Every structure is written in structure tokens, then in C-alpha cells.
Amino acid sequence: MMTATSLLLGLLLFLWVPMMAQTTSPDLSVRAGSEKKQNAPGYVERKDSALLSRLKDTRIIFKDGSIRKHCTVKQINAYWIVYEKDGSLHDLEIEKIKRIEICDGTTQAVFFDEKNKPDIGAYVY
């Protein structure tokens, strides 16, 4: 009798937890989700795929003077970028980047403003 009671209580607890875990009504959660998608800073990948297509072979110049060569920028997010080097993906905070040089024979690079928005401009050595 004792094991049947404890088993029944365990099953009720198992069913009760997911019901109590829902913190908002279904209508609010749908609206909140769509609102988050509209207000969230999107990837540059969705906004400007032309910019990312130019960032296939790049050099990332850090503010501390170090350089990462032969990188491919995959995403530019609100506060960080995702790049690929030697087949591995890495993320990097934008505040650490001085510029991302585009290695296509031009002297163009991506610079970030104080709001971390990318902009293409010319650089000098």
C-alpha cells in the first residue's frame, strides 16, 4: 500500500510540474515571442547578405595589435561576430576589433561605430 501511494504521488508530481512551469498565458507568450523577434537586434546575415558575401577572406585586426588572417565572417550580431578559421567557428566581441580588412585587392575594411553597426571604409597601413 505504501509503495502504491508513493508511486501515485510521484506520477502526480511528474504531471503537475509542467503545468506549473508555464508562467504566462498562451496568448501572452505568443505575443511576447513575436515582439522579441521584432525588437531583437538581428543578424547582419539577414539584413545585408551582400556585406557577408564580401567577408570571405579577411584579416581581423584587434585593438591590441594582434591579427587573425584568412578568416571568413559568418555572422555579425549586436555585440559579437562569428567567424571561421581553419574549419572551426569562433566568436569574438566587437569591442575588441579595430577593423576587419577585406582581402580582395582593395584597401577596404569593416569598421564598427559606437553602436556596433558595421560600415565599410578605406584604411591606410
Side-chain angles (χ1 to χ4, degrees):
M1 178 75 175
M2 183 70 136
T3 58
T5 305
S6 61
L7 180 64
L8 184 61
L9 285 174
L11 287 174
L12 286 175
L13 182 64
F14 182 70
L15 295 173
W16 177 72
V17 170
M19 289 188 319
M20 293 302 165
Q22 185 177 359
T23 57
T24 61
S25 68
D27 293 334
L28 291 176
S29 65
V30 170
R31 272 189 257 136
S34 63
E35 191 174 297
K36 282 182 184 177
K37 287 179 185 174
Q38 291 173 356
N39 293 335
Y43 297 120
V44 171
E45 182 176 31
R46 282 184 263 151
K47 292 180 183 176
D48 190 1
S49 60
L51 174 60
L52 287 177
S53 68
R54 294 194 60 200
L55 300 177
K56 296 288 186 203
D57 184 24
T58 62
R59 276 189 300 223
I60 301 173
I61 311 297
F62 291 84
K63 289 181 179 176
D64 67 2
S66 59
I67 299 173
R68 300 254 166 84
K69 297 179 181 180
H70 306 293
C71 300
T72 301
V73 178
K74 297 291 188 180
Q75 296 176 356
I76 301 176
N77 297 296
Y79 300 102
W80 74 95
I81 68 165
V82 177
Y83 69 95
E84 180 180 359
K85 177 156 176 67
D86 298 329
S88 297
L89 290 177
H90 305 275
D91 57 344
L92 177 63
E93 295 175 9
I94 290 175
E95 67 184 28
K96 295 181 179 180
I97 301 172
K98 183 175 182 180
R99 68 178 176 263
I100 301 173
E101 296 178 357
I102 303 170
C103 300
D104 62 355
T106 64
T107 58
Q108 292 186 330
V110 175
F111 297 93
F112 295 95
D113 64 10
E114 61 277 347
K115 295 182 180 179
N116 295 335
K117 300 292 182 198
D119 187 35
I120 295 180
Y123 67 92
V124 290
Y125 286 102

